[in-house]
Amino acid sequence: MSIVTVQLGQCGNQIGFEVFDTLFSDSHSSQGLCSKRENEAYRASCKERFFNEEENGVPIARAVLVDMEPKVINQTLSKAAQSGRWKYGQHAYFCQKQGSGNNWAYGYSVHGPRHEESIMNLIQKEVEKCDSLSGFFIIMSMAGGTGSGIGAFVTQNLQDQYAHSLKMNQIIWPYGTGEVIVQNYNSILTLSHLYRSSDALLVHENDAVHKICAKLMNIKQISFSDINQVLAHQLGSVFQPVYCAEGSFHYRRNPLGDLMENLVPHPEFKMLGVRNIPQMSENSLAYSTFTWAGLLKHLRQMLISHAKMEEGIDWQVRPPLSGLPPLGKMPLNKELHFNTSIANLVILRGKDVQSADLEGFKDPALYTSWLHPIHALNVWKTQRAFSKYEKSASLVSNSQFLVKPLDMIVGKAWNMFASKAYLHQYTKFGIEEEDFLDSFTLLEQVVASYYNL
Amino acid sequence: MGRRRRLVDPAAEAGAGALPKVIAALSRSLPAGPSPEIFRRAKFDRPEAAPALWQLLFRLLSPRSADGASASLALEAQVCLVKSALRSQGYPRLVLAQLPEDGSRGSRELLLALSWLLARGPLPEQLLAQAHVQLGDEIPVCECEALASPGPRVPHVEAEGPVDIRCVQWLMGRLRFRWRCLIASQQEQCTLLSKLLRRLERENTGLEAALEWRRGELVFWRWMDTVLGACPPEAPAAATQPTFLPRIAERGLGRLELAARELRALQEELCEATGRRRAAWEARVGGQGRGPQWSSARQALQKAVEQELAALRWAWEQDRGPARPHGPHRLVRCEDEAPGGQHLRAAEVIQALRSQEACLEAALRRLQGQCRQELARLAGALPGLIWILPPRC
């Protein structure tokens, strides 16, 4: 089944390009550590999901590019075409001549409705090219103006028009010390709208990825391209084909459906974080070997100690003992050292993957009391290695990863709101104080639900 | 070269346009069929017609699975393959074997080879049958398959104590996702169905072309006579080579006799073995309990065994000649009552399916009975509780 990607704004388009490039390169890599037939099945599965096959042509990404400025879209289109290996559809983009000055309300209330028909037509065309639609993957930033406002609008439209299809939003959490003054307003508006119309919010924090580039990849001058490549690597390791079950011989057909069914069926808990291990520069990769036991031990500690990468993990954090009172009784603003999970999905790719032991993840102490590890933990294993990593493990987690950052953003936005700062930018274009209050209410509820696990 | 002599039927005399039409129909019913113009040029042995005819013969003679991969073979390779295939099938004219490997000459010879292939058997019909669209209207008929393999184990769910509402909401959400995925797969089914319809349309076009070809092929054969006439006279040695037609009839009959005898011997052996087994079983079971529990179980067992036997007997007692009704069968609507061949009446198939169904139902009832007994045992173990068993269905 196929996934249609919608790339929104500068952020979404740049990341989208890296994602498709990573997926394509990996599916054509010769270092898969598996048989030729296996490799072909992998490639075919990846192609069905993300690319359209044309007779005698280069594969075309199943994507729609949207931006209010032409610059980034043109760059993206030409970068893809230049590679000669894959490309975007010739007419699969929508852009305007001028930007919208980073105004969320303008993007949501003006650009969105004005260009609704054109954008939805493009998406419809892309959907028609699929034999079967698994769902939509929407890449956007959370705090920007255009991308976020339009993104929220488009997701809402997708909810109306394709009510039965699955929707996952890949959102980029802004830097803590961000460039845009109103980024917290934008963030809470985006999040609250998406929470209502999307099925899953897969979050990547700019700060975290930046640190990965600096500490693990040893990049001196970190550009957005580096950050996006790390991001694409993490996403690729989640969305490339995996086997159905132990000992089965074909790849899962519905990646979005399987993921969502296992991680986000509860309407209040839709926020997902991704961790990937190992992550390092190509030079170091040649000199490193890993064991599954080591990788999984680190991954588990990353999960329970809120670590964003495999360096600087706090090994002091331990799951609570069964004698202590349940964590649900903790007051709301208590420091959360231990990360309680609702559900986890562990994806293992590479050599000897069958021997990997996941007992550590099955400990009930890791999970909230109302879901047993049997239902809360899912493991997908594939022999075929990913992107030159002989062994790689990814974790998609519905846990308290994001509750503190979210709480912080809501707090800051509330402080600004209380003093009515910059509100006129929004009320000018139809986003009233009521809408802000609704957003605050919804997000406070989400924060409370996650704290009370 | 031996060829089928056809009676010249004056009624089949058609106008001047009949020949191109017939050749066009022939072309449509063959894969990679060239235009009638190629055929015309081939009669006059024009070199430009040769490559197309080499490729046509290659498509006709290469094995079934030669769709994507071997279509991209070079012309020389195709020429070699065609030559060796024709030789192995007994094509008598030596001129073809002497044609150059680059495929640049010999279009008249190729035309003769094509008509030789056409004359030997119903070639268009065979090719269409090979490329037949699989519609899923096939049903396997073979009683030797295991009737019921154990299905996937049902996950064991325990209800213990008060349940957190969030857990219930979680499960409801999972159900909703499954529902949405079901809708997506149904949409996929619709798309694939429409693709299937398009393929069927193409197949229908091919079938219509084959029919048209059959109706007018007389015109083609009379034309081929003129083509043969235009050829230079053959070397006498080649002309006296007898026609080689594959014949399996006589040898096949002997084999069938052997098979029938072996089957009869096997049947006798089986009867003996079952007789011995039954005697041994009766001796063991003879004095065992005859309570009400036993008799109902025995009745159920007897019924199940009878049904299985009936199914087996139905499969074995088919009197349809040497070919047993085995393997997949297609659903075809037929007006006439013509028997023979591999046909099976729908009624028989339905009966077989019914007996299978009965066996499976018996197995289900047996398992349900076991479940009930287990529940009753559990109920007995906890005296303070009232258990309401599910209704007998």
Side-chain angles (χ1 to χ4, degrees):
Chain A
M1 295 177 105
S2 314
I3 299 178
V4 171
T5 304
V6 183
Q7 305 179 183
L8 288 157
Q10 173 181 351
C11 181
N13 280 300
Q14 286 172 339
I15 294 177
F17 168 76
E18 297 293 349
V19 170
F20 279 109
D21 206 39
T22 304
L23 292 169
F24 188 86
S25 309
D26 171 57
S27 72
H28 279 76
S29 124
S30 55
Q31 291 162 306
L33 299 180
C34 60
S35 67
K36 188 162 160 234
R37 204 170 58 164
E38 181 76 48
N39 223 12
E40 278 168 11
Y42 188 83
R43 191 181 303 176
S45 177
C46 171
K47 207 178 262 182
E48 188 202 1
R49 288 178 193 188
F50 295 106
F51 295 93
N52 217 339
E53 189 74 75
E54 231 184 42
E55 295 284 345
N56 307 325
V58 183
I60 301 180
R62 297 186 192 273
V64 174
L65 294 77
V66 178
D67 198 1
M68 289 302 113
E69 286 176 353
K71 187 173 97 171
V72 175
I73 286 195
N74 286 337
Q75 278 175 354
T76 311
L77 289 173
S78 61
K79 254 205 290 189
Q82 263 167 20
S83 73
R85 299 175 307 152
W86 63 275
K87 62 182 185 189
Y88 285 105
Q90 223 178 0
H91 303 287
Y93 65 93
F94 177 85
C95 66
Q96 292 287 279
K97 289 291 188 284
Q98 75 346 319
S100 74
N102 252 342
N103 190 320
W104 197 98
Y106 197 84
Y108 182 82
S109 311
V110 179
H111 278 307
R114 193 185 286 169
H115 307 301
E116 178 184 347
E117 209 182 311
S118 316
I119 299 177
M120 295 312 284
N121 271 346
L122 283 178
I123 296 180
Q124 171 74 14
K125 278 210 199 92
E126 209 50 57
V127 167
E128 278 165 11
K129 290 189 207 156
C130 303
D131 271 345
S132 71
L133 183 65
S134 173
F136 297 97
F137 186 59
I138 303 139
I139 314 181
M140 53 191 273
S141 73
M142 195 168 82
T146 336
S148 320
I150 294 190
F153 184 81
V154 167
T155 309
Q156 222 166 283
N157 265 33
L158 287 175
Q159 170 77 333
D160 293 333
Q161 201 168 323
Y162 300 94
H164 296 302
S165 302
L166 306 172
K167 291 163 276 298
M168 173 177 278
N169 286 65
Q170 159 69 33
I171 48 185
I172 307 304
W173 204 272
Y175 284 106
T177 55
E179 319 89 50
V180 181
I181 293 243
V182 290
Q183 70 178 37
N184 294 318
Y185 278 164
N186 292 346
S187 302
I188 58 132
L189 286 171
T190 306
L191 273 178
S192 60
H193 278 85
L194 289 183
Y195 229 89
R196 286 183 214 121
S197 40
S198 180
D199 297 306
L201 305 178
L202 191 60
V203 176
H204 271 102
E205 297 169 79
N206 260 348
D207 284 314
V209 184
H210 191 103
K211 261 200 218 128
I212 292 181
C213 287
K215 298 264 175 64
L216 297 181
M217 316 282 281
N218 286 323
I219 303 175
K220 295 287 177 270
Q221 306 272 33
I222 300 176
S223 65
F224 272 121
S225 173
D226 299 313
I227 294 195
N228 295 340
Q229 277 169 10
V230 169
L231 251 164
H233 176 89
Q234 292 196 346
L235 286 173
S237 73
V238 171
F239 284 112
Q240 284 292 51
V242 278
Y243 276 145
C244 281
E246 290 282 347
S248 81
F249 293 110
H250 54 274
Y251 289 107
R252 282 178 186 269
R253 293 213 61 231
N254 192 352
L256 278 185
D258 293 338
L259 194 148
M260 291 195 192
E261 185 193 321
N262 290 318
L263 290 176
V264 288
H266 198 296
E268 271 174 21
F269 301 104
K270 288 185 182 173
M271 314 218 23
L272 299 173
V274 181
R275 299 288 183 270
N276 179 259
I277 183 174
Q279 191 123 39
M280 53 179 45
S281 64
E282 267 188 46
N283 308 335
S284 319
L285 195 55
Y287 301 106
S288 319
T289 48
F290 305 95
T291 60
W292 285 118
L295 287 175
L296 290 172
K297 187 162 147 213
H298 278 75
L299 194 62
R300 179 178 182 271
Q301 195 62 23
M302 279 163 74
L303 168 66
I304 64 182
S305 67
H306 285 283
K308 311 283 166 69
M309 55 181 187
E310 63 249 44
E311 218 177 277
I313 300 179
D314 183 357
W315 289 93
Q316 300 301 320
V317 179
R318 293 249 188 276
L321 298 169
S322 46
L324 295 177
L327 288 165
K329 300 265 166 63
M330 278 185 164
L332 273 185
N333 32 17
K334 170 101 184 196
E335 277 295 315
L336 274 182
H337 287 298
F338 174 75
N339 179 28
T340 309
S341 306
I342 304 176
N344 288 318
L345 168 64
V346 178
I347 304 176
L348 303 176
R349 299 177 187 272
K351 196 167 149 198
D352 299 330
V353 79
Q354 301 305 333
S355 67
D357 172 28
L358 281 121
E359 282 312 306
F361 281 90
K362 294 185 186 164
D363 184 358
L366 263 56
Y367 298 94
T368 182
S369 58
W370 47 270
L371 208 56
H372 194 268
I374 289 184
H375 303 301
L377 175 68
N378 302 278
V379 184
W380 294 352
K381 291 182 182 173
T382 297
Q383 191 82 6
R384 209 260 190 199
F386 175 69
S387 193
K388 299 187 191 141
Y389 284 83
E390 185 196 63
K391 299 186 174 85
S392 105
S394 302
L395 169 69
V396 186
S397 173
N398 190 349
S399 61
Q400 294 172 322
F401 267 153
L402 292 150
V403 71
K404 255 190 10 203
L406 181 59
D407 203 12
M408 248 177 17
I409 285 194
V410 171
K412 284 192 195 156
W414 180 255
N415 287 339
M416 279 178 80
F417 184 72
S419 52
K420 306 237 193 271
Y422 302 101
L423 276 184
H424 60 276
Q425 281 183 17
Y426 296 85
T427 50
K428 198 161 73 169
F429 297 111
I431 305 289
E432 305 298 333
E433 293 187 15
E434 291 268 310
D435 301 310
F436 274 89
L437 287 172
D438 286 341
S439 305
F440 281 119
T441 315
L442 193 151
L443 292 177
E444 299 269 357
Q445 176 63 41
V446 171
V447 168
S449 306
Y450 270 104
Y451 267 124
N452 283 327
L453 284 180
Chain B
M1 166 171 154
R3 53 189 162 84
R4 285 177 17 204
R5 295 232 165 240
R6 292 186 165 268
L7 296 171
V8 175
D9 183 1
E13 279 280 2
L19 181 63
K21 271 213 202 96
V22 168
I23 293 184
L26 172 65
S27 209
R28 279 201 307 277
S29 62
L30 296 174
S35 66
E37 181 57 24
I38 299 275
F39 282 78
R40 193 187 68 81
R41 293 202 184 161
K43 171 175 176 176
F44 301 108
D45 206 16
R46 302 293 288 272
E48 61 263 22
L53 287 172
W54 279 117
Q55 277 165 359
L56 172 63
L57 284 173
F58 174 72
R59 286 294 292 273
L60 296 178
L61 292 167
S62 54
R64 207 172 296 187
S65 53
D67 256 334
S70 34
S72 50
L73 272 186
L75 190 58
E76 283 90 25
Q78 294 185 4
V79 166
C80 278
L81 209 135
V82 168
K83 282 190 188 177
S84 64
L86 281 172
R87 197 167 42 236
S88 67
Q89 295 203 18
Y91 186 66
R93 286 175 72 87
L94 295 174
V95 185
L96 186 116
Q98 290 155 1
L99 286 174
E101 301 273 300
D102 62 1
S104 58
R105 278 197 353 227
S107 52
R108 188 195 290 139
E109 224 13 79
L110 295 174
L111 188 56
L112 288 173
L114 173 66
S115 49
W116 183 79
L117 285 173
L118 281 171
R120 291 173 72 222
L123 193 57
E125 287 83 350
Q126 281 170 354
L127 293 168
L128 284 169
Q130 273 175 24
H132 165 66
V133 173
Q134 300 293 326
L135 279 176
D137 55 355
E138 290 188 352
I139 174 170
V141 179
C142 173
E143 302 298 328
C144 21
E145 281 168 29
L147 275 181
S149 53
R153 276 198 317 231
V154 179
H156 186 57
V157 178
E158 295 180 14
E160 32 180 57
V163 175
D164 195 319
I165 187 160
R166 290 175 289 184
C167 185
V168 179
Q169 287 169 322
W170 181 271
L171 294 171
M172 278 293 297
R174 289 193 69 165
L175 207 59
R176 253 179 259 124
F177 271 124
R178 292 265 176 107
W179 173 248
R180 285 160 81 180
C181 292
L182 188 64
I183 294 184
S185 359
Q186 283 186 332
Q187 282 171 340
E188 181 185 24
Q189 203 179 36
C190 286
T191 319
L192 293 175
L193 213 61
S194 67
K195 274 197 178 171
L196 208 64
L197 283 173
R198 264 174 273 150
R199 281 188 65 185
L200 277 174
E201 268 174 27
R202 281 204 295 269
E203 187 177 329
N204 280 346
T205 324
L207 286 168
E208 279 168 8
L211 271 178
E212 205 184 318
W213 152 252
R214 282 293 163 210
R215 274 197 289 263
E217 64 177 320
L218 227 48
V219 178
F220 177 79
W221 291 117
R222 288 168 62 222
W223 179 69
M224 281 309 298
D225 273 342
T226 68
V227 173
L228 192 60
C231 274
E234 276 236 279
T240 57
Q241 219 172 11
T243 316
F244 176 64
L245 285 172
R247 311 260 234 88
I248 46 168
E250 286 150 2
R251 271 188 302 155
L253 267 173
R255 287 240 180 94
L256 287 170
E257 263 304 309
L258 191 59
R261 253 182 281 138
E262 282 181 353
L263 282 172
R264 262 177 257 133
L266 188 60
Q267 192 178 29
E268 285 170 17
E269 242 182 280
L270 275 173
C271 283
E272 248 182 279
T274 52
R276 265 181 274 136
R277 274 210 161 167
R278 188 168 287 143
W281 170 250
E282 304 247 291
R284 260 180 58 194
V285 165
Q288 297 273 350
R290 303 254 175 217
Q293 232 181 347
W294 272 108
S295 64
S296 61
R298 259 173 76 128
Q299 270 172 11
L301 276 170
Q302 264 176 338
K303 229 197 299 182
V305 168
E306 268 164 14
Q307 277 163 347
E308 280 192 47
L309 268 180
L312 276 171
R313 224 173 270 132
W314 174 85
W316 280 97
E317 282 175 1
Q318 287 303 305
D319 193 17
R320 297 275 158 178
R324 270 217 356 242
H326 205 102
H329 281 68
R330 257 182 70 218
L331 211 57
V332 167
R333 190 135 179 240
C334 218
E335 292 299 338
D336 53 44
E337 298 275 335
Q342 310 261 11
H343 299 203
L344 278 179
R345 308 289 294 285
E348 286 147 1
V349 179
I350 292 174
Q351 200 183 354
L353 286 173
R354 282 221 181 99
S355 65
Q356 252 187 338
E357 181 190 20
C359 296
L360 288 171
E361 267 186 19
L364 174 68
R365 279 195 293 272
R366 196 170 54 234
L367 288 169
Q368 279 178 334
Q370 285 175 4
C371 271
R372 245 177 260 120
Q373 284 176 357
E374 180 66 18
L375 280 172
R377 190 187 64 79
L378 286 171
L382 298 162
L385 286 160
I386 302 174
W387 290 70
I388 305 171
L389 297 175
R392 279 156 209 263
C393 44

